[in-house]
Amino acid sequence: MIKKELLEILACPQCKGPVELAAGEDGIVCRACKLLYAIRDGIPIMLIDEAKPLPENQP
């Protein structure tokens, strides 16, 4: 689980925009770039090369 304080200071490494916790709390989402950054062992992996594109049907 990511603490709210950490989530508030994180930014997308690609666009430097805001990010939010994914619905399943298994990743960090950048809506502007449509990328999902994984969370492994409670640590967000904020590397552009490791990000996955969001599915088209995800709001």
Side-chain angles (χ1 to χ4, degrees):
M1 174 87 183
I2 296 291
K3 291 185 178 184
K4 182 181 176 184
E5 295 83 15
L6 176 59
L7 193 57
E8 289 174 356
I9 62 171
L10 287 176
C12 175
Q14 182 165 294
C15 72
K16 311 298 186 252
V19 294
E20 59 190 57
L21 194 58
E25 296 188 7
D26 59 345
I28 305 284
V29 174
C30 175
R31 299 280 177 205
C33 296
K34 297 184 175 150
L35 292 174
L36 173 69
Y37 297 95
I39 297 175
R40 293 188 204 126
D41 298 322
I43 301 169
I45 311 300
M46 304 297 286
L47 300 170
I48 297 169
D49 294 342
E50 301 247 348
K52 297 180 181 175
L54 284 177
E56 291 294 323
N57 60 352
Q58 187 169 356

